[in-house]
């Protein structure tokens, strides 16, 4: 398998609007999300909008390099998994990949919205992260992921 990057940080948030909690490891739950996170519990803001699109949003992933030169912290991006990678995460849409031993499927780009700006009090999240807001992914197997796990291409 081809190594694409490494996990730098993991965040969960029990309820919509609460601060993100940095954890060293977490259980990824098949077709649900990260244990203890708002989206696996169906208490995330996105669910409350009643968006009619059947998007699978088990987890959100963003590139550390896309955050590094912004005014936002990793937690303020409201993404679950921060990876250090040289690829554009949208290249994983429609593809399977591993984080550690857990299999994921890239489902769509994580288009930036105004919510991180509203919650952090920092302006312009949508423009700062335009075309680099990250990736939404479906969890295909259950198990633990941790900081330091590799992001691996599953196509080989």
């Amino acid at each position: 398998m081809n190594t694409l990057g490494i996990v730098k940080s993991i965040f969960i948030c029990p309820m919509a609007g609460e601060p993100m909690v940095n954890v060293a490891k977490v259980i990824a739950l098949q077709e649900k999300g990260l244990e203890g996170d708002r989206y696996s519990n169906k208490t995330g803001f996105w669910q409350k909008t009643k968006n009619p699109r059947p998007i699978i949003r088990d987890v959100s992933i963003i590139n550390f390099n896309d955050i590094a030169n912004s005014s936002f912290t990793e937690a303020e991006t409201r993404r679950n998994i921060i990876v250090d990678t040289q690829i554009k995460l949208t290249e994983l849409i429609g593809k399977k990949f591993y984080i550690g031993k857990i299999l994921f499927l890239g489902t769509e780009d994580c288009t930036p919205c105004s919510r991180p700006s509203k919650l952090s009090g920092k302006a312009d999240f949508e423009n700062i992260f335009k075309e680099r807001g990250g990736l939404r992914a479906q969890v295909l197997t259950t198990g633990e992921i941790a900081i330091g796990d590799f992001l691996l291409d599953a196509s080989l």
Side-chain angles (χ1 to χ4, degrees):
M1 279 186 262
N2 187 21
T3 300
L4 303 175
I6 190 166
V7 175
K8 299 276 290 176
S9 303
I10 302 169
F11 293 91
I12 59 172
C13 177
M15 296 291 290
E18 290 185 3
M20 300 294 284
V21 178
N22 192 349
V23 296
K25 58 187 176 181
V26 69
I27 302 297
L29 302 167
Q30 182 180 1
E31 297 182 6
K32 288 186 91 177
L34 302 182
E35 187 174 66
D37 187 62
R38 65 211 184 276
Y39 290 103
S40 70
N41 298 332
K42 306 292 186 224
T43 58
F45 177 77
W46 185 79
Q47 275 88 2
K48 291 180 182 178
T49 63
K50 296 186 179 28
N51 189 326
R53 291 173 43 203
I55 298 166
I56 297 172
R57 187 202 172 113
D58 293 347
V59 298
S60 55
I61 306 167
I62 194 167
N63 191 341
F64 172 77
N65 297 313
D66 289 334
I67 302 168
N69 295 318
S70 76
S71 61
F72 288 83
T73 66
E74 293 176 3
E76 289 169 339
T77 67
R78 312 287 300 169
R79 304 303 189 253
N80 296 119
I81 303 170
I82 314 300
V83 294
D84 188 355
T85 181
Q86 297 304 309
I87 68 161
K88 191 169 178 149
L89 288 172
T90 54
E91 292 175 24
L92 297 175
I93 294 171
K95 296 181 181 174
K96 292 180 181 178
F97 59 93
Y98 287 95
I99 296 179
K101 295 180 180 177
I102 308 308
L103 187 62
F104 293 82
L105 172 67
T107 56
E108 72 170 359
D109 69 318
C110 195
T111 305
C113 65
S114 62
R115 186 108 171 121
S117 285
K118 289 176 186 172
L119 293 174
S120 69
K122 295 179 180 178
D124 221 22
F125 184 86
E126 290 173 282
N127 288 324
I128 292 170
F129 288 92
K130 185 177 183 177
E131 297 183 21
R132 59 188 184 128
L135 175 73
R136 291 187 179 131
Q138 179 181 17
V139 181
L140 298 178
T141 58
T142 295
E144 185 178 275
I145 60 172
I147 293 172
D149 280 352
F150 290 108
L151 172 64
L152 302 164
D153 183 349
S155 63
L156 300 176

